[in-house]
Amino acid sequence: MELPNHAKQLLLQLNQQRAKGYLCDVIIVVENALFRAHKNILAASSIYFKSLILHDNLINLDTDMVNPSVFRQILDFIYTGKLLSSDQFSDHNFNALLTAASYLQLHDLAALCRKKLKRNGRSLLNKPTTSTNGRTSRNQRLSSTPVTPNQMSGLKDSDKTKRHEELLKDDLSEDEMFVRNAHCATSANSLSPSTSKNGSNGSCGMQELGLDLSKKSPSGSTATEEVSPSSIPQESPQSASESIANSASFDENTNTQNLTSGEPMELGGGECEESQPPPDVDQHKSSRQVARQRRQPKSEGRKCEDAERGTLPNGVAKRLNVAGERLPGGGHGNSEVSFQCKDDEEGLENGQEQSEESGQSESDGGRNSTNYVYRQEGFEPALGDNLYVCIPCGKGFPSSEELNAHVETHTEEELYIKEEEDDSYPKEDEVEAEDLSSQITHVHSTESRRFSCSVCNKSYKDPATLRQHEKTHWLTRPFPCNICGKMFTQRGTMTRHMRSHLGLKPFACDECGMRFTRQYRLTEHMRVHSGEKPYECQLCGGKFTQQRNLISHLRMHTSPS
DNA sequence: CTGGGGATGGGGCCC
DNA sequence: CGGGCCCCATCCCCA
């Protein structure tokens, strides 16, 4: 007994899920575009994907072998078994597809392309011929003898680059080359409004953000062989899928990115430059790093636990639910959408309240749980595209910038939160922490701090800093994360947050190759190698490499136990 | 099993 | 806008 359409229906469902980001657990980065997908599907389609996604949730494909538009077609093919017929399927397109399919070891697709090219009478796949300019088409040569990623990675960089250049020349039409560049430029502009405002300078936005995708998940097959610490994403599959799904959810709601099936999420630019080989850090790998590699799965589980307990960043936790609620098209209610950890027994039926409350109380002490507007909270059908809502007046705005501008038109009295019960600055734990910190550092002199906050009386040296501080009292957070939607008061914090989404760690340790999202972390880390312990406990003489550990230690001294 | 220490990640915020 | 520091939270190791 066999259901005739079972496989077809299954694929259909999976493709729909992909379009909505449901249960997607891997991000594929192609140039500046992000694609979400399901690991199982990719693994079932290609040995190459299978090996890549085994250790990584963020895959960065070699941009010389595949470009975003081609990869979109490929992804569609993987999920549907069909190559959409359209005018765009020129021979050039099939060549590009063939190259990419070979690179990704999608043998069926490669065979289809070869067949199509052969049918068009232009295929030189099986019998290399001389092209009009007398050159042998290296693309076709490659296609007939697919280069496995391992083979490719075995090439010297120079050879690889050369080969890529050859492939590019042969595979991509002038138009495609143009599109690639234009794509880069436009996506730099499609970065968050704030970033795009700064212009792209002809480079892709990632670099402006300090986001180096190639460093995160190097192209080629390195991930298939040995997983360097840097290639292990910090993001659990769970959080990755949350991010993607959540991103999709409000993309669909806000039409800001207008995702369609397989359409790349315009992250806001990527590197136009050729992907760089990963730094060879394996031989420097410390035992600790190896240990960390080992425990990575556990830390993923930990994030699941965090989600359960609502200790994930509030925006993430919240969108986890919102994504389920607000997906358009009906039929995708909460019951169908589940981004829970697989071992989550408790479920998220009441998870929205949990994540909203506990999630925020964790990181923000609960202070902003009622103060700040999240886009989803402001999302009402009546608001249309004006999803950035000002709480005091209820007006909606299409962008954070406009909301920001609007907020500034309010008077201070309107803007500041009159919550006497919560405005006991500093809070108790802050006082305690300050007591501890005061044992290490001295209190700032207030003499030169002429500019004081009218809300909490904190004083600052210059008006700009005061203004920056005052924004922390605002009702809104003007800088949303493009991936999870979490809002931030400072753009820099949001940018930093984005790095954690993407597992981007631009700051590498020269000693062991370990990578960090922040320079300061690297500085901190370097003391591990130098053995420097500049922080000394005045009570017991204990020395520490990090100030925070000294503070933690001091807490041990001062605690009643 | 427990507590302390080492190390790391993420957010807030000031400079 | 980046750097730096503070906070909290967490993990792992080890005594």
Side-chain angles (χ1 to χ4, degrees):
Chain A
M1 296 171 63
E2 183 180 348
L3 285 174
N5 288 330
H6 179 71
K8 191 176 177 182
Q9 288 300 322
L10 206 59
L11 261 185
L12 197 65
Q13 284 294 320
L14 287 166
N15 200 27
Q16 288 175 357
Q17 290 184 6
R18 174 174 67 103
K20 297 186 180 346
Y22 290 176
L23 302 176
C24 287
D25 50 8
V26 63
I27 303 174
I28 303 102
V29 182
V30 187
E31 283 184 9
N32 50 341
L34 297 186
F35 299 86
R36 57 235 151 100
H38 302 96
K39 281 188 170 185
N40 276 339
I41 303 298
L42 297 185
S45 307
S46 147
I47 296 174
Y48 178 47
F49 276 131
K50 191 176 181 179
S51 58
L52 272 186
I53 62 184
L54 189 63
H55 301 293
D56 240 336
N57 306 317
L58 182 71
I59 308 299
N60 193 16
L61 295 183
D62 191 330
T63 56
D64 285 333
M65 305 301 281
V66 57
N67 64 43
S69 65
V70 164
F71 188 72
R72 183 167 59 233
Q73 295 165 29
I74 286 177
L75 210 50
D76 284 337
F77 174 80
I78 289 174
Y79 274 81
T80 64
K82 298 172 188 169
L83 272 180
L84 302 175
S85 62
S86 85
D87 293 340
Q88 63 173 319
F89 278 81
S90 62
D91 281 354
H92 280 301
N93 188 281
F94 274 110
N95 272 327
L97 263 175
L98 179 50
T99 301
S102 301
Y103 163 57
L104 299 172
Q105 298 189 44
L106 294 158
H107 303 303
D108 290 342
L109 178 59
L112 268 181
C113 292
R114 280 193 214 101
K115 195 175 170 184
K116 175 69 178 174
L117 285 168
K118 201 170 183 178
R119 192 176 300 164
N120 288 356
R122 299 193 193 182
S123 173
L124 311 172
L125 296 179
N126 296 322
K127 34 180 181 178
T129 57
T130 305
S131 60
T132 51
N133 59 6
R135 283 190 301 140
T136 297
S137 167
R138 290 171 181 88
N139 163 45
Q140 291 149 353
R141 186 185 66 205
L142 174 84
S143 304
S144 60
T145 56
V147 176
T148 67
N150 287 336
Q151 288 169 320
M152 205 54 167
S153 68
L155 293 175
K156 291 177 188 173
D157 284 350
S158 56
D159 293 342
K160 188 177 170 186
T161 305
K162 190 177 172 185
R163 189 155 195 178
H164 287 167
E165 286 169 356
E166 291 166 349
L167 286 170
L168 273 177
K169 284 175 193 167
D170 287 337
D171 288 339
L172 299 177
S173 66
E174 294 295 326
D175 285 347
E176 282 168 327
M177 294 292 284
F178 174 77
V179 167
R180 284 161 58 98
N181 296 332
H183 190 60
C184 228
T186 52
S187 51
N189 290 333
S190 71
L191 196 57
S192 66
S194 50
T195 308
S196 62
K197 199 171 59 181
N198 297 331
S200 64
N201 293 333
S203 67
C204 293
M206 280 301 181
Q207 280 182 323
E208 293 172 4
L209 289 173
L211 309 180
D212 188 342
L213 291 176
S214 66
K215 288 177 184 166
K216 165 60 191 79
S217 181
S219 61
S221 63
T222 51
T224 68
E225 292 159 3
E226 178 145 16
V227 183
S228 70
S230 62
S231 70
I232 300 175
Q234 294 308 301
E235 215 172 40
S236 68
Q238 190 64 29
S239 56
S241 65
E242 286 163 12
S243 302
I244 302 164
N246 294 333
S247 168
S249 72
F250 58 79
D251 290 340
E252 286 160 0
N253 287 332
T254 62
N255 292 327
T256 53
Q257 296 182 358
N258 196 23
L259 279 182
T260 59
S261 172
E263 191 142 321
M265 301 190 296
E266 292 293 339
L267 184 72
E271 283 193 319
C272 300
E273 301 167 8
E274 188 175 355
S275 302
Q276 294 175 359
D280 186 11
V281 297
D282 290 335
Q283 65 266 37
H284 302 302
K285 217 181 285 179
S286 68
S287 59
R288 173 155 191 95
Q289 284 176 280
V290 175
R292 288 188 63 79
Q293 266 182 238
R294 274 204 320 270
R295 64 175 113 121
Q296 188 65 23
K298 183 144 188 179
S299 96
E300 289 176 358
R302 164 184 152 202
K303 290 215 173 185
C304 287
E305 292 167 15
D306 288 346
E308 288 176 27
R309 290 194 296 265
T311 56
L312 278 175
N314 41 25
V316 173
K318 190 171 296 184
R319 261 145 202 86
L320 190 140
N321 300 294
V322 171
E325 289 181 343
R326 297 197 175 128
L327 283 169
H332 295 295
N334 280 335
S335 59
E336 184 175 342
V337 183
S338 169
F339 295 106
Q340 303 170 34
C341 301
K342 51 181 174 290
D343 55 349
D344 182 358
E345 298 291 332
E346 298 175 6
L348 288 172
E349 287 180 1
N350 54 355
Q352 185 160 7
E353 288 77 17
Q354 286 175 359
S355 58
E356 281 183 17
E357 294 173 11
S358 57
Q360 294 193 6
S361 64
E362 282 290 330
S363 59
D364 300 310
R367 187 177 55 191
N368 65 354
S369 58
T370 56
N371 298 344
Y372 296 119
V373 180
Y374 291 85
R375 265 202 291 186
Q376 312 84 319
E377 289 174 351
F379 178 80
E380 298 294 340
L383 288 172
D385 288 337
N386 298 329
L387 302 179
Y388 296 83
V389 180
C390 173
I391 279 188
C393 69
K395 285 181 183 170
F397 297 89
S399 71
S400 62
E401 312 298 29
E402 289 178 53
L403 170 60
N404 203 5
H406 161 79
V407 164
E408 296 186 28
T409 66
H410 279 288
T411 63
E412 287 186 353
E413 292 75 21
E414 289 171 316
L415 282 173
Y416 297 143
I417 306 150
K418 308 294 185 187
E419 44 176 20
E420 288 79 8
E421 67 275 15
D422 284 346
D423 266 358
S424 51
Y425 289 93
K427 292 196 284 289
E428 284 181 23
D429 52 341
E430 287 175 346
V431 171
E432 185 190 341
E434 201 161 307
D435 287 343
L436 291 170
S437 298
S438 64
Q439 297 181 38
I440 306 157
T441 59
H442 26 252
V443 180
H444 289 294
S445 162
T446 55
E447 290 174 3
S448 60
R449 297 165 170 266
R450 296 183 293 116
F451 303 94
S452 59
C453 173
S454 58
V455 177
C456 67
N457 287 327
K458 280 185 182 174
S459 56
Y460 300 90
K461 291 176 182 173
D462 64 291
T465 305
L466 171 61
R467 182 158 183 76
Q468 187 181 43
H469 162 81
E470 284 178 328
K471 287 185 180 180
T472 66
H473 296 303
W474 283 10
L475 298 170
T476 58
R477 295 180 166 214
F479 304 104
C481 166
N482 273 358
I483 293 180
C484 74
K486 184 171 183 183
M487 316 291 275
F488 296 88
T489 54
Q490 295 188 17
R491 194 192 308 275
T493 306
M494 186 271 290
T495 303
R496 192 179 65 189
H497 163 86
M498 290 278 285
R499 279 194 205 138
S500 66
H501 268 309
L502 299 172
L504 302 176
K505 302 182 173 183
F507 308 102
C509 170
D510 290 335
E511 295 285 327
C512 67
M514 195 161 182
R515 310 184 76 93
F516 299 89
T517 53
R518 313 178 192 178
Q519 171 66 52
Y520 179 66
R521 296 289 195 236
L522 175 57
T523 307
E524 236 176 19
H525 164 82
M526 292 310 286
R527 296 198 195 108
V528 174
H529 297 300
S530 67
E532 184 191 4
K533 295 188 174 183
Y535 304 101
E536 183 173 351
C537 174
Q538 300 299 317
L539 297 175
C540 70
K543 294 185 175 181
F544 301 86
T545 56
Q546 295 180 21
Q547 184 174 347
R548 44 185 168 163
N549 284 338
L550 170 57
I551 292 174
S552 169
H553 167 83
L554 285 169
R555 199 164 279 138
M556 186 260 298
H557 277 308
T558 57
S559 66
S561 64

